[in-house]
Amino acid sequence: MSLRGLYAITDSKLLADGKLLPWVDAALAGGARLLQYRDKSTDSARRLDEATQLKSLCSYYGAELIINDDLALATELGVGLHLGRDDGSLREARQQLGRDAIIGATCHASLDFAEQAAAAGASYLAFGRFFQSVTKPGAPAATPVLLEQARKRYSLPLVAIGGVTLHNGPQLISAGADLLAVVNGLFGADTTAEVERRARGFTELFSSL
Ligand SMILES: Cc1ncc(COP(=O)(O)OP(=O)(O)O)c(N)n1
Ligand SMILES: Cc1ncsc1CCOP(=O)(O)O
Ligand SMILES: [Mg+2]
């Protein structure tokens, strides 16, 4: 599949109290192409249960499920994986998950990190945060100029993350982002109808630019 469009990322605090499945359903109905299950808890039984249900939802909508941080869970479900700088070896994950798996890499604001990730077999390169992020306020700051530089250097899909909204998304796409990765700007909505409206809005940004 082509990696372009909205990349929705779950947040266990925003999507507590039974919201996970309906809110994700709305994001996928609105056109999200990738969904990352990002849950920092250690309750492995609940994580397996939730990720299994998300896999079914993604498959219904023709989207791809990516697991944050957890190679074992991605392997068990046969889905993709996102690894940060301290989340284990991308090369080993590639060997374990196989050549067709989507494996994404955090590059913060560094073309050197991007070079290492590309050499290790990353499927996409993720830069950011680009704006203030309530989800991860301490993430290193990146600028659209960095995206432009990465765009010239790599044909791999580029992901922009961090404080992304419908309002600031267009400048990231113009700078070369193939995927907009969004937590709060999507799942911070109060209703499923609003999540779907926002997801549709993000999706339309890619056809209008
Ligand atoms: C698409 C995408 N990009 C970056 C990140 C951040 O990953 P990481 O630096 O490992 O931080 P955590 O998300 O694990 O807190 C991401 N998850 N997804
Ligand atoms: C996980 C992560 N990595 C860099 S910023 C970020 C959080 C993105 O969440 P939000 O879209 O709410 O800023
Ligand atoms: Mg991580």
Side-chain angles (χ1 to χ4, degrees):
M1 85 177 294
S2 93
L3 295 183
R4 188 167 167 80
L6 173 61
Y7 185 171
I9 302 185
T10 70
D11 179 285
S12 30
K13 287 193 202 97
L14 273 182
L15 301 179
D17 305 324
K19 282 161 96 180
L20 179 66
L21 293 179
W23 259 244
V24 165
D25 191 310
L28 294 170
R33 303 306 300 136
L34 293 188
L35 175 77
Q36 183 181 130
Y37 178 56
R38 183 171 180 272
D39 177 304
K40 298 286 184 178
S41 80
T42 51
D43 184 343
S44 51
R46 182 178 52 75
R47 284 166 52 75
L48 174 61
D49 180 52
E50 289 182 349
T52 303
Q53 295 187 64
L54 294 178
K55 184 182 174 187
S56 297
L57 262 186
C58 284
S59 134
Y60 176 80
Y61 284 103
E64 297 287 340
L65 178 64
I66 311 290
I67 304 291
N68 181 58
D69 290 350
D70 189 342
L71 173 59
L73 182 56
T75 305
E76 184 162 0
L77 292 179
V79 299
L81 177 70
H82 182 92
L83 290 179
R85 295 288 303 169
D86 303 321
D87 297 331
S89 158
L90 201 154
R91 216 175 277 280
E92 282 171 29
R94 171 62 67 205
Q95 270 168 9
Q96 194 162 316
L97 291 175
R99 53 183 287 189
D100 293 336
I102 299 173
I103 306 179
T106 295
C107 303
H108 296 304
S110 164
L111 291 174
D112 285 344
F113 291 167
E115 192 60 40
Q116 291 164 23
S123 312
Y124 66 72
L125 306 172
F127 295 96
R129 62 176 172 94
F130 283 93
F131 304 99
Q132 295 280 8
S133 167
V134 280
T135 308
K136 196 151 186 173
T143 65
V145 172
L146 178 81
L147 268 182
E148 289 169 6
Q149 291 168 341
R151 182 71 298 155
K152 285 190 192 128
R153 204 183 279 194
Y154 299 105
S155 54
L156 283 173
L158 304 181
V159 177
I161 189 169
V164 180
T165 63
L166 283 170
H167 179 71
N168 62 32
Q171 62 185 282
L172 299 173
I173 298 172
S174 296
D178 299 288
L179 289 148
L180 295 180
V182 192
V183 181
N184 199 64
L186 179 66
F187 290 124
D190 287 334
T191 62
T192 53
E194 176 60 11
V195 172
E196 185 171 340
R197 188 194 71 79
R198 291 185 190 184
R200 222 171 274 292
F202 280 112
T203 300
E204 283 165 6
L205 292 181
F206 288 89
S207 45
S208 59
L209 284 169

